[in-house]
Amino acid sequence: MSHRKALLIHNGNAGNKNIEKALGAVVPVLSQSLDEVIIKQTKKKDDAYHFCRSIDDSIETVFILGGDGTVHQCINGISTLERRPAVGILPGGTCNDFSRVLSIPQNLAKAAEALVSGKKSKVDVCQMNDRYFLNFWGIGLIAETSNQINETEKALLGKISYFTSALRTVSSAESFPISLTIDGQEIKDEAVMLLVMNGQYIGTNRIPLPDASICDGLLDILICRSTNLSALRELMNMEQGTIERFTGELSYVQASRVEIETDTVKKADTDGEVYTHTPAVIQVLPQHIDMLNPRNE
């Protein structure tokens, strides 16, 4: 039996009482089923990224205890490694969007138990220029909205959805010209929002895209042309396979690579963090990382 060694990275900025409670929920579970657990706490924004960049071959699994921002940093570190450890997400943030895609319980102790007794599955990672993301990349409404949600609001409102906030600001959304090259095919369009998705959750809301999958080697590209509230509401309530009706307001297309250019530089929201901008080339790295997820009962 090989020596099973894991790294647990947790977000040190999450408030001390919460950290103790969170670690108390997961550490006993992990240490029961692993031989060695190294615990590292992030103190600065890029710590999680650097911890992951410098992982050696002895680490089999990285457990990430934190929110979407911490997961995003870790994935950026791990995606560049030659030999990549498996990843287990312990949902300790506000939205925990990617953990929802994997059906990981939102209770930390239950999540830890489900992951250590769970299975590995290969998951696509999206590469955007020289960065990586798991969940979504978006410009227009989405980026302007998440910028308006400050940290205090985020903490107070907890599960505030970017979309309800988007709906509040929607009347002021301007459409902008956009040039897309989708798997080699050029398209000129106008949009108020462009989303390139891998996961299906944004701000805890599931976007019911009919064919979305995190292991199909495809991006889910959603072009929203109008701030028509009914279009956005309908999108949130979309049944599987009904997208054909959206030729006017919304278009949905799947591709393995998309190039995006805008006339003026647009800020982009990447997995809930606004720090990149257009132009962007986004491509899928198929089944790039092994993720732990619960066994289906």
Side-chain angles (χ1 to χ4, degrees):
M1 184 67 187
S2 68
H3 182 83
R4 299 189 58 204
K5 183 171 162 186
L7 173 63
L8 170 63
I9 294 175
H10 71 94
N11 180 357
N13 307 324
N16 283 340
K17 270 215 284 279
N18 295 350
I19 289 174
E20 274 173 39
K21 200 170 148 195
L23 287 173
V26 302
V27 171
V29 181
L30 299 184
S31 52
Q32 262 166 16
S33 65
L34 295 156
D35 299 313
E36 190 181 347
V37 182
I38 297 161
I39 300 176
K40 290 198 169 186
Q41 175 174 326
T42 66
K43 302 207 165 62
K44 302 189 300 296
K45 193 163 170 49
D46 293 339
D47 281 354
Y49 169 76
H50 293 299
F51 291 161
C52 289
R53 277 300 299 265
S54 54
I55 283 170
D56 65 39
D57 288 357
S58 68
I59 303 268
E60 263 183 39
T61 312
V62 174
F63 288 95
I64 306 166
L65 171 53
D68 295 315
T70 311
V71 171
H72 180 72
Q73 289 279 346
C74 290
I75 291 302
N76 271 280
I78 291 168
S79 292
T80 59
L81 299 175
E82 202 92 328
R83 194 195 141 280
R84 295 180 288 281
V87 173
I89 301 176
L90 296 162
T94 313
C95 296
N96 308 310
D97 282 335
F98 205 75
S99 70
R100 292 170 196 276
V101 184
L102 296 168
S103 308
I104 294 170
Q106 296 297 298
N107 166 295
L108 280 174
K110 285 191 177 131
E113 277 156 27
L115 294 183
V116 294
S117 62
K119 60 184 197 302
K120 282 182 196 170
S121 49
K122 292 190 176 301
V123 165
D124 296 342
V125 173
C126 304
Q127 182 175 1
M128 189 281 300
N129 300 346
D130 58 350
R131 298 291 292 176
Y132 301 86
F133 67 91
L134 269 182
N135 209 29
F136 73 91
W137 178 95
I139 53 173
L141 204 50
I142 181 94
E144 287 147 28
T145 308
S146 32
N147 253 354
Q148 284 166 1
I149 302 172
N150 62 38
E151 287 306 308
T152 335
E153 259 186 328
K154 220 174 189 177
L156 272 175
L157 296 166
K159 292 210 166 75
I160 178 158
S161 111
Y162 291 127
F163 272 93
T164 43
S165 173
L167 291 175
R168 288 205 306 268
T169 56
V170 78
S171 51
S172 61
E174 293 283 314
S175 72
F176 51 92
I178 190 162
S179 304
L180 303 175
T181 307
I182 298 175
D183 281 345
Q185 187 188 356
E186 288 185 42
I187 295 167
K188 294 238 185 272
D189 211 327
E190 291 256 333
V192 294
M193 176 168 71
L194 173 78
L195 284 177
V196 180
M197 298 184 68
N198 183 36
Q200 294 118 350
Y201 286 83
I202 295 185
T204 74
N205 279 316
R206 185 167 176 277
I207 315 263
L209 299 175
D211 306 316
S213 155
I214 53 171
C215 54
D216 59 359
L218 293 170
L219 304 162
D220 295 284
I221 302 162
L222 197 63
I223 303 164
C224 183
R225 295 192 187 82
S226 150
T227 56
N228 182 325
L229 286 182
S230 61
L232 278 180
R233 287 210 186 94
E234 220 164 313
L235 167 64
M236 296 314 296
N237 302 318
M238 189 163 55
E239 293 305 315
Q240 296 287 332
T242 57
I243 194 108
E244 304 342 337
R245 292 183 296 135
F246 285 106
T247 43
E249 312 285 352
L250 293 170
S251 285
Y252 169 53
V253 58
Q254 290 187 304
S256 57
R257 178 186 162 102
V258 58
E259 296 171 35
I260 299 150
E261 290 185 21
T262 49
D263 292 6
T264 55
V265 170
K266 284 273 177 202
K267 282 184 185 153
D269 182 335
T270 313
D271 284 351
E273 309 285 307
V274 181
Y275 69 98
T276 65
H277 53 78
T278 57
V281 176
I282 300 176
Q283 58 194 340
V284 176
L285 306 175
Q287 308 199 349
H288 192 63
I289 285 182
D290 279 323
M291 286 261 176
L292 299 182
N293 51 339
R295 289 187 186 281
N296 300 338
E297 296 312 318

